[in-house]
Amino acid sequence: MQKTSAYQSLVKTFQRLSRFSHLSSIASWDMFTMMPPGGSAARGEALAEMSVLQHQILTDKKVGDLLAAAAGEDLNDVEQANLREMTRQYQQATLLPESLVEAKSLAGSRCEHAWRTQRPANDWQGFSANLKEVVKLSREEARLRAEAKGCTPYDALLDIFEPDMTSARLDVLFGDMKTWLPDLLASAVEKQAQRSFVPPQGPFPTATQRELGLEAMKMLGFDFNGGRLDVSAHPFCGGVPEDVRITTRYDEDELLSALFGVIHETGHARYEQNLPRAWAGQPIALARSTAIHESQSLFFEMQLGRSEAFLKYLLPAVHARFGSQAAFSEENFIAWNQRVKPGYIRVDADEVSYPAHVVLRYEIERALINGEIEVDDIPALWDEKMQAWLGLSTKDNYRNGCMQDIHWTDGGFGYFPSYTLGAMYAAQLFHAAKTALPGLQSSIAEGDFSALFEWLRQNIWQHGSRFSTSQLITQATGEDLNIRYFREHLTSRYL
């Protein structure tokens, strides 16, 4: 009888973990979309129990022994990459005690559920009470991770979402952007002030908006046999590669926010649906990082979705659902979708002002986790940074200020930089795709995205976590992250 290798034993353990993660993901999706309010406490406890169970399996001493033994076995390149990702997951998990994993899960569920009613009510006092508990537990997690890694607390959390990224490197990237983005933003606003826009006239019934969103998903190759579209308080993409759940939110006075929210989440979903199934259930089959994930959603929403060629192709579907009003002339529809108008809400922001929302949150959350500020300091800092970047005040307007997102409710500190890193990667990837596919713009205008999506599949999707972020981008584009492409894209489209 053949002896099972250490590596084969690990594959079975991580397959089991993946199945529990699958159940947690679907239960979380249900909590955000379908669950009646009265189920919140029980669901939070069930999800916390699942988190503890997964933590127990992953941190078992046998797993550590198997990892050490597998390191000495004769493994091929793919198996070595999978072992690297297994080791990373194990090392990340063993830094945290079970009690902290459970407490953080419970606090996050409580905070997010309460946020759903506190945000519409502009109830900062109620929200901040729950957030303080989340921050306390997140700081404890950050301290434990930082002590093991020999870095700042914030960098320890950043590493969870974006391996090998540091706040020092972010400060260089964002510092570069600060030298040119404010002027570019001002110039774009000034240029657009010289023309008149016709705003779309509603109402736009939710059911019809949903039909348009589903049509856009179909255009963009979403596999409805392995996913669905629903409604939540904050748009997201969840589930698992075999069953991807995306959500949006509707406003019957505003058509394009929900539509482009769907297009954004479809970018996430296409990445998930095309991750390597041959390695399913293993860490190597997961998405590379949150910035690479955001690069895919912003590739779909901004690089492709807001392009002149795609908007021309999309317009007949808008006419079919909502008629031919003046706002839906080709010229106005393109101009309206490429408007640069600083606003309060990040998920509705144009791509020129969007990075301001991200840098603002990054600077606040870094100071918060590093213990330089407290939760009570957030509203004033938020207002100060919004005024400096976008000329808007959020004083006493918490619902459209520091309460607008859900990332902090569950302790997702370290995630926000991924959005602007993702925008930078998306610009670089689209530039590389245009170079590789000379007839791309013509194909997009005709609604033929097959070559573009095949290019993404070959260069990003099929690799999962086989390569580091740096290796993945270098192989796809010929160089590591270069902010030049993002600046050139914004200048070309808006100036």
Side-chain angles (χ1 to χ4, degrees):
M1 188 171 164
Q2 192 175 9
K3 186 184 172 195
T4 303
S5 72
Y7 178 78
Q8 288 168 331
S9 297
L10 286 166
V11 165
K12 288 181 182 174
T13 298
F14 278 86
Q15 181 75 63
R16 188 172 175 229
L17 279 166
S18 174
R19 287 168 180 156
F20 285 131
S21 179
H22 179 154
L23 292 174
S24 290
S25 186
I26 298 301
S28 295
W29 165 84
D30 177 76
M31 181 170 71
F32 292 135
T33 57
M34 301 288 182
M35 189 188 73
S40 175
R43 181 63 55 84
E45 289 166 3
L47 285 168
E49 190 73 41
M50 190 71 89
S51 296
V52 169
L53 175 62
Q54 289 172 263
H55 187 262
Q56 287 172 342
I57 295 168
L58 185 53
T59 58
D60 190 310
K61 184 180 179 298
K62 286 188 293 187
V63 173
D65 293 341
L66 288 169
L67 288 166
E73 292 176 347
D74 184 21
L75 305 177
N76 64 33
D77 288 351
V78 170
E79 291 166 338
Q80 286 176 8
N82 195 34
L83 182 63
R84 178 197 70 219
E85 295 301 310
M86 289 172 168
T87 304
R88 175 176 158 79
Q89 284 194 15
Y90 171 76
Q91 289 172 342
Q92 293 270 21
T94 53
L95 298 174
L96 305 184
E98 193 178 293
S99 57
L100 180 58
V101 172
E102 181 177 32
K104 193 160 178 260
S105 180
L106 286 167
S109 292
R110 273 195 302 270
C111 190
E112 188 281 329
H113 184 74
W115 168 85
R116 296 185 212 180
T117 51
Q118 289 164 345
R119 184 188 174 222
N122 202 41
D123 178 13
W124 167 253
Q125 289 307 118
F127 176 69
S128 64
N130 286 326
L131 184 61
K132 283 172 184 174
E133 180 64 17
V134 172
V135 168
K136 184 184 90 171
L137 295 167
S138 296
R139 282 176 171 173
E140 176 61 12
E141 176 184 359
R143 181 187 67 79
L144 293 169
R145 293 190 184 284
E147 285 174 358
K149 284 181 65 70
C151 63
T152 67
Y154 183 74
D155 277 12
L157 296 187
L158 180 63
D159 184 67
I160 299 169
F161 299 103
E162 204 53 38
D164 305 322
M165 184 54 70
T166 63
S167 50
R169 190 177 174 207
L170 282 176
D171 289 342
V172 171
L173 289 165
F174 291 169
D176 178 311
M177 195 170 63
K178 281 182 176 181
T179 66
W180 53 264
L181 187 65
D183 286 344
L184 197 155
L185 176 59
S187 297
V189 170
E190 185 182 351
K191 181 186 176 189
Q192 293 188 0
Q194 296 166 24
R195 66 153 297 158
S196 58
F197 298 92
V198 182
Q201 298 298 312
F204 304 102
T206 294
T208 316
Q209 286 197 53
R210 175 178 162 79
E211 288 174 13
L212 180 61
L214 291 168
E215 195 166 339
M217 291 165 70
K218 188 176 177 183
M219 288 176 188
L220 295 168
F222 183 89
D223 177 8
F224 287 95
N225 191 47
R228 53 182 287 141
L229 170 67
D230 291 282
V231 177
S232 66
H234 188 92
F236 71 91
C237 175
V240 293
E242 301 84 356
D243 181 8
V244 181
R245 309 296 177 93
I246 73 173
T247 71
T248 192
R249 59 188 178 201
Y250 298 101
D251 176 350
E252 297 205 335
D253 295 324
E254 213 290 315
L255 171 63
L256 299 169
S257 174
L259 175 61
F260 279 88
V262 167
I263 291 171
H264 177 99
E265 301 305 338
T266 300
H268 282 305
R270 289 300 314 278
Y271 185 22
E272 286 290 320
Q273 289 182 334
N274 285 277
L275 286 168
R277 295 292 172 88
W279 310 332
Q282 298 304 304
I284 192 178
L286 299 173
R288 172 59 275 167
S289 70
T290 54
I292 295 300
H293 231 309
E294 294 304 336
S295 80
Q296 299 308 288
S297 58
L298 292 168
F299 190 103
F300 273 59
E301 180 192 3
M302 298 299 187
Q303 297 292 326
L304 174 61
R306 304 274 183 183
S307 71
E308 201 167 298
F310 181 80
L311 290 169
K312 285 179 181 177
Y313 179 70
L314 178 67
L315 189 53
V318 176
H319 284 158
R321 303 287 181 198
F322 295 104
S324 300
Q325 56 175 276
F328 300 150
S329 72
E330 185 177 280
E331 183 186 2
N332 189 79
F333 186 69
I334 292 167
W336 187 259
N337 277 290
Q338 293 184 352
R339 267 181 323 154
V340 178
K341 188 182 179 186
Y344 293 106
I345 306 299
R346 175 185 63 84
V347 296
D348 295 336
D350 62 84
E351 63 180 330
V352 184
S353 58
Y354 192 103
H357 292 268
V358 174
V359 175
L360 175 156
R361 288 156 169 79
Y362 159 64
E363 290 174 349
I364 291 175
E365 72 175 15
R366 182 183 60 184
L368 188 65
I369 294 300
N370 286 341
E372 296 157 15
I373 62 168
E374 297 301 329
V375 169
D376 291 336
D377 300 320
I378 292 174
L381 273 170
W382 194 287
D383 179 49
E384 177 190 312
K385 290 176 184 293
M386 277 292 279
Q387 294 207 50
W389 269 103
L390 300 176
L392 298 170
S393 173
T394 57
K395 187 170 175 13
D396 299 327
N397 181 8
Y398 310 112
R399 59 178 294 180
N400 291 328
C402 52
M403 286 179 67
Q404 66 181 265
D405 284 309
I406 60 167
H407 296 71
W408 289 347
T409 63
D410 67 352
F413 299 101
Y415 191 111
F416 274 116
S418 304
Y419 287 112
T420 289
L421 288 171
M424 293 174 185
Y425 284 127
Q428 189 166 331
L429 288 167
F430 204 80
H431 179 271
K434 283 190 295 186
T435 304
L437 306 168
L440 181 59
Q441 295 299 347
S442 301
S443 298
I444 291 170
E446 293 164 9
D448 180 4
F449 312 121
S450 55
L452 181 61
F453 294 156
E454 179 59 21
W455 187 90
L456 284 172
R457 195 186 70 78
Q458 291 287 346
N459 287 283
I460 302 295
W461 298 343
Q462 69 168 344
H463 298 302
S465 283
R466 182 174 181 177
F467 305 112
S468 70
T469 304
S470 178
Q471 287 172 322
L472 186 68
I473 289 299
T474 301
Q475 287 170 193
T477 70
E479 60 183 309
D480 202 354
L481 178 60
N482 187 337
I483 194 173
R484 169 171 79 89
Y485 298 104
F486 185 50
R487 183 177 184 177
E488 287 176 356
H489 162 69
L490 295 180
T491 302
S492 169
R493 179 174 284 178
Y494 298 99
L495 297 184

